Amino acid sequence: MIIINAIKIIFLLGFLVFIHEGGHFLAAKIFGVNVEEFSIGFGPVIYSKTKNNTLYRIGCIPFGGYVKMTGENERSEAEGAFNKAKLSHRIAIVAAGGVVNIIFAILVFFILSFFYYEIINLSFLNRIDFAFKNTIGFLKSMISSIIMLFTGKVGLDQMTGPVGISEIVVKTNGIYNFVHLLCLVSLSLGVTNLLPIPALDGGRIVLLIIEGIRRKPLNQETELKIQTIGF
């Protein structure tokens, strides 16, 4: 049972990190930005391979990941640098991770609706309605939680992190409940990551929007200081 629970936790967290970072990666490739590293997990490397000038690596701890792009943290004049891409392309690349998590959750909610109502024999349109109502309901609860967080009604210590998620995963029974939890966590990860908070993707998007309004980038040192506030 311990081994099965460990596999469930590793798969859930690892998979969601993979599709999140994969969103950033694919968007960067689409817009011609050079990706130096694509990493899933931290700690000792259990797999690594370099292909087309990109280092792909997997760490043994699946609680995070990153996509390292040329010119992302330090401005570069190299071809394919992130800082040289169009502003709209940079915003799309930064937003892609959270957007992929949200789209994944919506699509899987839709698929689950077929299994949920299979014995009742509801129409195709009713199943679509169920999927989107579930998603909208959870989005409303997420927005409510965010409002409570910013108004001080709940503290950061009450938000569920990797450890809390792991405890919930262990208690799930059956494929349906596990996949349903996968959707909820994916949607939560996507929405949370797009919040306008320093160190999150949403915070970076705000800085890019400010750059567009000013028609010139922020001072690099100032930008880094703002981003590190969230740590």
Side-chain angles (χ1 to χ4, degrees), residues 22-43:
H24 293 308
F25 175 82
L26 289 176
K29 289 293 187 180
I30 289 171
F31 294 122
V33 173
N34 182 54
V35 178
E36 297 177 4
E37 291 184 39
F38 178 71
S39 177
I40 302 299
F42 298 112

Side-chain angles (χ1 to χ4, degrees), residues 102 105-106 109 130-140 187:
I102 293 170
I106 292 173
F109 263 122
F130 167 77
F132 280 100
K133 280 183 177 177
N134 260 2
T135 306
I136 291 171
F138 185 69
L139 278 171
K140 286 181 178 178
L187 192 57

Side-chain angles (χ1 to χ4, degrees), residues 67-104:
V67 171
K68 182 182 178 183
M69 295 172 282
T70 303
E72 180 182 14
N73 297 319
E74 294 184 3
R75 296 192 176 106
S76 170
E77 293 302 316
E79 183 179 352
F82 176 80
N83 59 283
K84 294 182 68 177
K86 290 182 179 179
L87 181 63
S88 58
H89 292 176
R90 282 181 280 155
I91 291 175
I93 292 169
V94 175
V99 171
V100 166
N101 281 123
I102 293 170
I103 292 174
F104 168 79

Side-chain angles (χ1 to χ4, degrees), residues 16-17 19-25 27 65-67 69 72-73 82 90-102 186 188-210 223 226-227 230-231:
L16 293 183
V17 169
I19 64 172
H20 180 90
E21 299 302 336
H24 293 308
F25 175 82
Y66 62 88
V67 171
M69 295 172 282
E72 180 182 14
N73 297 319
F82 176 80
R90 282 181 280 155
I91 291 175
I93 292 169
V94 175
V99 171
V100 166
N101 281 123
I102 293 170
S186 183
S188 176
L189 175 62
V191 172
T192 302
N193 223 264
L194 292 175
L195 293 177
I197 297 174
L200 296 181
D201 291 337
R204 295 184 64 194
I205 291 172
V206 170
L207 293 179
L208 289 171
I209 292 173
I210 292 173
E223 186 174 332
I226 293 173
Q227 286 294 343
F231 289 103

